[in-house]
């Protein structure tokens, strides 16, 4: 079965209690469970990994290629705006990566407007809350099918 990796960066383990007025009240665990079932209905398995550490996120991106994942859904969180190392990691793999943000980063503080990752991702979804994860999954699956990566 084709595999999708759901990768979440720093502080997203606190979803549900972290600034709910911005990020909503759903927990990361509930998002992971929901996406797993949506992926399965479309014939994909989904593995989820969250880390607060840049190097662990880089390692997970590298592993996604080594372990032949069909695609990655990635919320790099605050590293979006600062991490050239994560951008390089996305560029270093042939696995397609979809960038996702719960909030509309372009409508927030100016330091959030820039994404280091976006130019190396196949696309970016931002501002649709938890539903954005489902949009990212569907967009990625469609991309994988169209590009015969699956
Ligand atoms: C975020 C947006 C980032 O600016 C922020 O640092 C996060 C979450 C989002 O999902 O909206 O941690 O990636």
């Amino acid at each position: 079965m084709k595999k999708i990796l759901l990768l979440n960066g720093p502080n997203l383990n606190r979803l549900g209690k972290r600034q709910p007025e911005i990020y909503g009240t759903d927990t990361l665990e509930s998002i992971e469970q929901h996406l797993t079932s949506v992926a399965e209905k479309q014939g994909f398995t989904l593995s989820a990994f969250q880390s607060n550490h840049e190097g662990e996120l880089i390692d997970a991106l590298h592993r996604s290629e080594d372990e032949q994942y069909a695609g990655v859904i990635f919320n790099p969180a605050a590293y979006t705006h600062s991490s050239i190392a994560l951008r390089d990691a996305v560029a270093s793999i042939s696995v397609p990566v979809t960038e996702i943000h719960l909030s509309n980063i372009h409508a927030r503080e100016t330091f959030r407007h820039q994404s280091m990752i976006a130019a190396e991702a196949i696309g970016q979804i931002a501002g649709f809350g938890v539903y954005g994860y489902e949009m990212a999954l569907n967009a990625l699956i469609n991309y994988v099918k169209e590009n015969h990566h699956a």
Side-chain angles (χ1 to χ4, degrees):
M1 194 120 84
K2 294 147 272 174
K3 301 184 287 186
I4 302 271
L5 175 65
L6 171 62
L7 187 58
N8 280 288
N11 302 306
L12 293 169
N13 53 312
R14 298 190 60 78
L15 280 182
K17 41 188 181 223
R18 172 194 183 197
Q19 296 179 284
E21 68 285 3
I22 298 175
Y23 299 116
T25 53
D26 289 310
T27 62
L28 185 58
E29 196 186 0
S30 74
I31 294 168
E32 290 171 351
Q33 280 171 1
H34 178 63
L35 275 213
T36 300
S37 76
V38 175
E40 274 169 8
K41 283 187 196 122
Q42 303 201 51
F44 287 75
T45 59
L46 187 130
S47 313
F49 180 69
Q50 186 276 333
S51 178
N52 295 320
H53 305 279
E54 192 176 22
E56 287 189 358
L57 296 166
I58 293 169
D59 290 343
L61 287 165
H62 293 172
R63 265 199 315 275
S64 74
E65 174 151 302
D66 298 340
E67 296 175 6
Q68 298 180 333
Y69 276 76
V72 179
I73 299 161
F74 188 22
N75 186 344
Y79 285 136
T80 306
H81 318 297
S82 65
S83 179
I84 297 167
L86 276 172
R87 178 201 183 104
D88 286 352
V90 172
S92 80
I93 57 173
S94 59
V95 182
V97 175
T98 301
E99 180 180 344
I100 189 260
H101 301 282
L102 293 146
S103 63
N104 181 357
I105 55 173
H106 305 286
R108 298 181 62 193
E109 302 97 322
T110 47
F111 63 82
R112 294 186 205 274
H113 294 184
Q114 188 185 20
S115 167
M116 292 291 173
I117 313 298
E120 298 296 342
I122 56 171
Q124 181 194 72
I125 290 166
F128 294 97
V130 289
Y131 182 61
Y133 279 98
E134 198 168 328
M135 293 169 76
L137 176 63
N138 288 329
L140 183 60
I141 287 175
N142 183 65
Y143 178 90
V144 165
K145 286 181 178 161
E146 299 238 309
N147 289 275
H148 307 293
H149 281 114

